[in-house]
Amino acid sequence: MALRHAVLAALLDEELSGYQVTKAFAAGVANFWHALPQQVYAELARLEKEGLVAGREVVQEARPNKRLFRVTGEGLAELESFASAAAKPSFLREDLLVQVQAADHLDTDVLIERLTERYAFAEAKAALFEEQLRAMRGERGEAEFLLHGARVGPYLTCRRGRDFERANRDWCRDAVEVLRARREAWADS
């Protein structure tokens, strides 16, 4: 997947400024795509030049003018073409996993501290995703929303983010328990 497709997807529901697209990334697609604000702005400029998004200037009083962007028909066709191609599997690259891979040669206390930090991060992130899911559902239960909600795509990707972070949290907890048990077993021998 290229950044272009993530930006196009972020613009599907409404016209947004570059700042709003960046915020949408942080709130909505950050669980599966990370981009720095300057990358988003550069991609918007490329997409506009290619005719995949259209931008318009909005004059504001007491604030700088801003540009709003929307997906064009060509942009939607690009996104449809992307969606029709087979998805490539993702690959995990995480520093913490390299550290755990080397656990037998590292300071167990330091590694437990890193895992505990990641546990707390994952717990907080999963809670944030759960709040977003509740906000998307409103008063509806999940099953009703999944069948009748206006936009199920953002909901499903947010749910994946929540489940991903829950799995990270649980793995960190389990790894800490194993490292502590091994440390105690080695101390007793």
Side-chain angles (χ1 to χ4, degrees):
M1 170 171 59
L3 176 58
R4 68 192 298 111
H5 301 115
V7 171
L8 288 169
L11 289 169
L12 284 174
D13 290 329
E14 61 184 319
E15 194 175 47
L16 298 173
S17 68
Y19 174 77
Q20 291 170 313
V21 171
T22 301
K23 296 295 272 183
F25 263 67
V29 299
N31 61 317
F32 61 88
W33 190 270
H34 173 74
L36 298 171
Q38 56 267 37
Q39 292 173 300
V40 171
Y41 284 106
E43 192 61 41
L44 280 168
R46 278 190 290 277
L47 290 169
E48 186 174 25
K49 187 175 182 179
E50 294 175 31
L52 301 178
V53 301
R56 68 180 177 92
E57 185 101 6
V58 175
V59 177
Q60 303 184 107
E61 290 185 33
R63 294 181 129 179
N65 295 344
K66 67 179 177 180
R67 284 189 69 63
L68 294 178
F69 298 90
R70 64 173 174 73
V71 176
T72 64
E74 293 85 0
L76 187 55
E78 169 70 19
L79 202 51
E80 286 175 350
S81 175
F82 166 74
S84 68
K88 296 176 186 173
S90 60
F91 298 95
L92 188 59
R93 277 179 46 173
E94 188 171 334
D95 294 347
L96 183 57
L97 291 176
V98 174
Q99 294 167 350
V100 171
Q101 174 73 22
D104 300 310
H105 303 281
L106 301 177
D107 182 335
T108 301
D109 291 332
V110 171
L111 194 49
I112 287 172
E113 188 177 331
R114 294 294 83 73
L115 286 160
T116 303
E117 290 166 355
R118 182 64 176 94
Y119 176 95
F121 175 84
E123 179 76 10
K125 192 83 181 210
L128 177 65
F129 284 130
E130 189 59 47
E131 285 177 34
Q132 290 174 337
L133 290 167
R134 275 194 297 274
M136 285 185 232
R137 282 191 311 264
E139 297 298 317
R140 293 180 175 179
E142 185 170 73
E144 181 185 347
F145 179 83
L146 290 172
L147 287 177
H148 304 290
R151 291 270 291 127
V152 73
Y155 188 88
L156 290 172
T157 57
C158 187
R159 194 166 86 170
R160 174 65 179 116
R162 180 204 59 197
D163 295 348
F164 177 78
E165 291 302 344
R166 284 179 175 173
N168 283 333
R169 175 201 63 199
D170 295 348
W171 176 81
C172 287
R173 181 198 59 230
D174 295 347
V176 165
E177 288 174 6
V178 166
L179 292 172
R180 285 184 176 147
R182 286 178 58 85
R183 182 176 56 199
E184 288 174 20
W186 283 82
D188 292 341
S189 18

